[in-house]
Each structure stands twice: as C-alpha cells, then as structure tokens.
Amino acid sequence: MDILKKYTGWFVLGTLIFYLFSVTQFTSVLIPTLLAWFANTAMWHTLAPSAKRQVSWLMGIGVAALLFAATQGVWMSWQQVFAVNLPMLAMFVAVSFLDLTSSKDESRPLPKGLSAIFNTAIGVNLLGAVINLSVIMVFADRMKGALKLTPIQQFILTRNFAAAAWWSPFFVATGIALIYAPGMEWQKTLIPGIAMAFVAIVFSSVEAYQRTKGDFLGYPIRRESLFIPLFMALAIILLHFIWPDVSILVLICLLAPSASIALMRTPSRRQTLTHFVNKKLPQIGSQFALFLAAGIFSNGISAIILSYPEFFNLDNFTFSPVLFALTLAGMIIIGLVGVHPVVSIAIASPMLLPLNPDPTQLGFLFLSAWAISAGSSGLTGLGLLMTSRYQIPTKDIVTNSAPYAIVMWLLCSLVNGFFL
C-alpha cells in the first residue's frame, strides 16, 4: 500500500498515457484500466468521509445488481464494468495539466460594481471551461480576502463555472455526454450551449446587481489570462475539423498536456512537472473514485434493465420534447438533493437509449442536467466545496438558485424543442 501511495501520481499519469496507447491498439485497454484502479486504491485515504460513503454505496449497489443479473443469465463484460469511464478519466488527467498555465494575481485591487460582476462571471466561465475546478478556488480565495465569501459571490462563481458544461469540450461533462450518448456530435450542441451559458451569465449578473445595488467585489480579470482558454477551445475545434475521425476526447488528451507544457511559465519545466505529478495529480482522488464507481453502478442498472425488459419497456414512448423536459426536471431535482450528475446520467442513459433518441439531443440533455444541477445544488461537488471551504450554508445555495434552475430548465426545454 505504501508503494501505491508513493507512486500515486505516476499511476494517474500512466492512466492517460496508456489509454492513448490503447486507442492506437499499441497496448491492451487492460493496462490503463489496472493503472486507474491502482491509482484509485492509492488515493482512497484522501477522500472525505461523505465521498467515501457515496462511492461505497454506488459500488455496493452496482456489484449487487451485477451479481443478481448474472443469476438471471445477464452478464456484462469486464470492459463495460471496469473501463467504461476510462476515456473520461484520461481526459480528466489531461485537463489537470492546464492548471500549470494558471497564475495568481495578488497585487491588483478588487473591482467593484456591475462591470466587476459581469467580468467575474465571464472570467470564471471561460477560465473554468479549460482549467476546471482550481479556478473556483483561485477566484474565491482572492475575492473573499480577509472577509467571508458572500452567498452572492458564491452563486456568481458556481453557476457560471458550471455553465461551461454546456459548451466546453474540456469540461468533464462533455466527456460523460460523449460516452453515455453514443454518436453525439458535440459541434451541434456548441452554439446552443454557448447561448445557454451567455443567458446564465446575464441572468446571474443582473440578479447579483439587483441584490447588492452594485456593492459587489469581483475578481481582477486580465485580458491575457483569457488567451489560453480561447486558444485551447479554438485549437480543438480546428483539429477536429482537420481530423474528423479522431474523437474529441482523444484530441483533448493529446492537446491539453502538450499545450500546457509548451505555454507554462517556470524557470525549470522538469522540476515543475515532477512536483505536479507527485503532488497535484494525487489530489484528484475523488474524481477517480466517483467515476470508476459510477461505471460499476451504471452497468449494474443496465444489467437489471436487460434482465427485466418488460418492466423497463418504454416502447410506448418516444424521446419527445415533453420527455426531454420531464427527464431534465427529474435529473435537476435529484441533483439538488445530492446525487452527482454523473450518477443521474448513468441511470438515465440505459433507460433512454432503447428509444433510439437523437444522440445530440440526448447529449444536450446530459450537458444541461450537469450545468444546472452542479450550479444550483449545495450537496454535489461544487456545493460541498462552497460549504466546507467557504462556510456558505447549503440552504442558502439551494434557495438562491431555485429560480435560476427553473428558468434555465424552461429555456433548455425550449432550445431542445425548437433548435435540436
């Protein structure tokens, strides 16, 4: 076990490298799968008690469902059970490298007023779209200063960070949507997704201004800090246009680490990268545990559905705009009570796929569920970060964001009905 802990970061890095090798069929997918589970075992001690409980329940229910389905003659392959979320884990490791390009600005005073609200919302959306969760902590730590983060600062950060799920190819939500909505064309959700993110930014900014009368301390955004997110997003779009047969996930796994290493500013690349692998990569244990457990859980659900097709028969339904809206509402509601979006997606996917839905519509459903529930819940990852690190009460997070969640649910349902 001590050996596992010592080399945790290298197991995490190996998951990405050998996943890419397996895509080219240079090695078996078994190798990155084993590395991912070794990394998960080594990082287990770093998980919060609540995360350990959630992961244990997911794994326990998943294994029980798989064993029961086996008694009914339904067997799932080891790749389905243990490696279904491997591409997404590799992507998560890849985008973690983007943290190497971020820089903290402690000298400039905090801006104030409507422009500060709007710039903070746009900044956390664009930077979060590429650099992911570390941006929330950089922004929040700087904005609170010697004081406490206010609930209004909290919802500007969490809602607009989560809204990047609608459009960013670097967001974990996109990886999940591509896996659980096979055949999804991410490019077709890009324009509707950008529109939804823009609405989220404007809605939250106006609400924050009305509630503070402009007395809001924002984050001091610099124009040069937005260069990397815009560059990375445009590069992915261009590369996918040049090589349409290469999946978005693989392009991200290749581009994110290589571009980060090329663009990082440090006296010693070797020293910085060694520190990153040994100290930073072992900190993503909760994501590894959750997504590996969700893979077992989702296949357990799938196996039960295959065992009793008559009970889960939705042949009388079609994936209509009404079913889209009802499913999205259900996923948002269970997100508010603490069910992580990846779990609700893992439940919904095997039930909806037999209806032969349009993969892009299904993908947009999953992206919308992620963006709204992650930005509104006090009990999933973002909300727990805000309650544990910044002492924002869970009740305040949910109460503040209930009107936002309803409005965005209605808009998503309309966008799906009219444009997708």
Side-chain angles (χ1 to χ4, degrees), residues 58 67 77 79 96 115 123 126 216 263 298 320 336 338 344 404:
L58 286 174
L67 291 174
S77 70
Q79 290 97 331
S96 296
S115 62
L126 289 177
F216 177 97
L263 295 170
S298 65
S320 63
L336 292 177
S344 61
Y404 166 81

Side-chain angles (χ1 to χ4, degrees), residues 265-286:
R265 297 176 183 178
T266 178
S268 171
R269 273 187 168 78
R270 182 177 178 181
Q271 187 176 350
T272 302
L273 287 170
T274 302
H275 179 267
F276 174 76
V277 173
N278 287 324
K279 302 298 182 183
K280 294 285 186 178
L281 286 183
Q283 294 177 8
I284 62 175
S286 60

Side-chain angles (χ1 to χ4, degrees), residues 52-66:
K52 287 181 179 177
R53 282 195 299 272
Q54 185 176 15
V55 168
S56 298
W57 274 106
L58 286 174
M59 284 192 179
I61 294 170
V63 169
L66 287 167

Side-chain angles (χ1 to χ4, degrees), residues 15-166:
T15 302
L16 167 62
I17 294 171
F18 283 95
Y19 165 71
L20 290 172
F21 282 155
S22 72
V23 169
T24 62
Q25 298 184 336
F26 184 76
T27 61
S28 166
V29 73
L30 177 63
I31 296 175
T33 303
L34 287 173
L35 287 169
W37 282 95
F38 284 153
N40 181 49
T41 303
M43 292 186 285
W44 181 258
H45 72 284
T46 67
L47 269 61
S50 59
K52 287 181 179 177
R53 282 195 299 272
Q54 185 176 15
V55 168
S56 298
W57 274 106
L58 286 174
M59 284 192 179
I61 294 170
V63 169
L66 287 167
L67 291 174
F68 180 78
T71 65
Q72 306 301 307
V74 175
W75 294 85
M76 310 298 278
S77 70
W78 72 263
Q79 290 97 331
Q80 289 173 301
V81 176
F82 297 109
V84 64
N85 285 334
L86 184 63
M88 199 277 310
L89 285 177
M91 172 186 158
F92 196 87
V93 178
V95 299
S96 296
F97 275 83
L98 294 163
D99 192 42
L100 294 169
T101 65
S102 63
S103 60
K104 297 182 180 180
D105 185 356
E106 303 289 351
S107 58
R108 300 173 70 197
L110 297 180
K112 198 171 183 179
L114 179 60
S115 62
I117 298 171
F118 200 60
N119 289 340
T120 301
I122 292 175
V124 78
N125 184 267
L126 289 177
L127 288 167
V130 175
I131 301 170
N132 280 324
L133 194 60
S134 59
V135 165
I136 284 278
M137 289 177 277
V138 170
F139 273 52
D141 287 349
R142 182 79 169 88
M143 287 164 65
K144 75 180 180 67
L147 306 171
K148 285 181 66 176
L149 197 73
T150 69
I152 295 171
Q153 287 175 315
Q154 171 267 314
F155 76 63
I156 282 291
L157 292 177
T158 52
R159 286 185 201 171
N160 294 299
F161 171 80
W166 268 304

Side-chain angles (χ1 to χ4, degrees), residues 331-416:
M331 295 174 80
I332 293 169
I333 290 167
I334 64 173
L336 292 177
V337 298
V339 177
H340 194 282
V342 72
V343 179
S344 61
I345 290 169
I347 294 170
S349 178
M351 297 187 70
L352 294 175
L353 283 175
L355 302 181
N356 296 314
D358 176 85
T360 301
Q361 282 185 291
L362 187 60
F364 184 70
L365 168 69
F366 295 158
L367 294 177
S368 299
W370 192 297
I372 298 171
S373 61
S376 307
S377 174
L379 295 171
T380 52
L382 271 179
L384 291 172
L385 174 67
M386 287 296 162
T387 55
S388 61
R389 189 179 177 99
Y390 303 105
Q391 290 77 54
I392 306 290
T394 300
K395 182 182 176 183
D396 287 358
I397 296 175
V398 176
T399 303
N400 283 335
S401 289
Y404 166 81
I406 293 169
V407 169
M408 300 310 284
W409 165 71
L410 284 169
L411 283 174
C412 284
S413 301
L414 290 172
V415 166
N416 170 68

Side-chain angles (χ1 to χ4, degrees), residues 81-347:
V81 176
F82 297 109
V84 64
N85 285 334
L86 184 63
M88 199 277 310
L89 285 177
M91 172 186 158
F92 196 87
V93 178
V95 299
S96 296
F97 275 83
L98 294 163
D99 192 42
L100 294 169
T101 65
S102 63
S103 60
K104 297 182 180 180
D105 185 356
E106 303 289 351
S107 58
R108 300 173 70 197
L110 297 180
K112 198 171 183 179
L114 179 60
S115 62
I117 298 171
F118 200 60
N119 289 340
T120 301
I122 292 175
V124 78
N125 184 267
L126 289 177
L127 288 167
V130 175
I131 301 170
N132 280 324
L133 194 60
S134 59
V135 165
I136 284 278
M137 289 177 277
V138 170
F139 273 52
D141 287 349
R142 182 79 169 88
M143 287 164 65
K144 75 180 180 67
L147 306 171
K148 285 181 66 176
L149 197 73
T150 69
I152 295 171
Q153 287 175 315
Q154 171 267 314
F155 76 63
I156 282 291
L157 292 177
T158 52
R159 286 185 201 171
N160 294 299
F161 171 80
W166 268 304
W167 67 270
S168 171
F170 295 95
F171 225 70
V172 175
T174 302
I176 287 291
L178 289 167
I179 291 171
Y180 285 93
M184 171 192 172
E185 296 182 58
W186 168 77
Q187 311 92 297
K188 290 184 179 179
T189 65
L190 181 60
I191 300 302
I194 290 173
M196 290 303 307
F198 180 73
V199 171
I201 289 169
V202 172
F203 184 101
S204 300
S205 298
V206 170
E207 182 184 352
Y209 184 76
Q210 288 175 338
R211 294 179 60 173
T212 61
K213 308 300 181 188
D215 187 19
F216 177 97
L217 293 176
Y219 185 83
I221 292 288
R222 296 180 301 172
R223 288 179 184 173
E224 57 267 30
S225 65
L226 300 179
F227 166 75
I228 289 173
L230 292 173
F231 166 76
M232 297 293 281
L234 290 172
I236 282 292
I237 294 168
L238 178 63
L239 289 172
H240 191 62
F241 178 78
I242 296 171
W243 294 297
D245 293 336
V246 181
S247 76
I248 292 282
L249 281 171
V250 172
L251 289 175
I252 292 170
C253 288
L254 290 168
L255 180 66
S258 54
S260 299
I261 293 168
L263 295 170
M264 63 191 281
R265 297 176 183 178
T266 178
S268 171
R269 273 187 168 78
R270 182 177 178 181
Q271 187 176 350
T272 302
L273 287 170
T274 302
H275 179 267
F276 174 76
V277 173
N278 287 324
K279 302 298 182 183
K280 294 285 186 178
L281 286 183
Q283 294 177 8
I284 62 175
S286 60
Q287 287 81 11
F288 259 59
L290 180 62
F291 293 125
L292 288 172
I296 294 176
F297 176 81
S298 65
N299 276 282
I301 297 295
S302 298
I304 293 294
I305 291 171
L306 290 171
S307 301
Y308 296 97
E310 65 275 13
F311 292 121
F312 299 96
N313 188 342
L314 297 177
D315 287 347
N316 295 329
F317 294 87
T318 58
F319 192 62
S320 63
V322 173
L323 185 58
F324 178 101
L326 292 174
T327 305
L328 179 57
M331 295 174 80
I332 293 169
I333 290 167
I334 64 173
L336 292 177
V337 298
V339 177
H340 194 282
V342 72
V343 179
S344 61
I345 290 169
I347 294 170

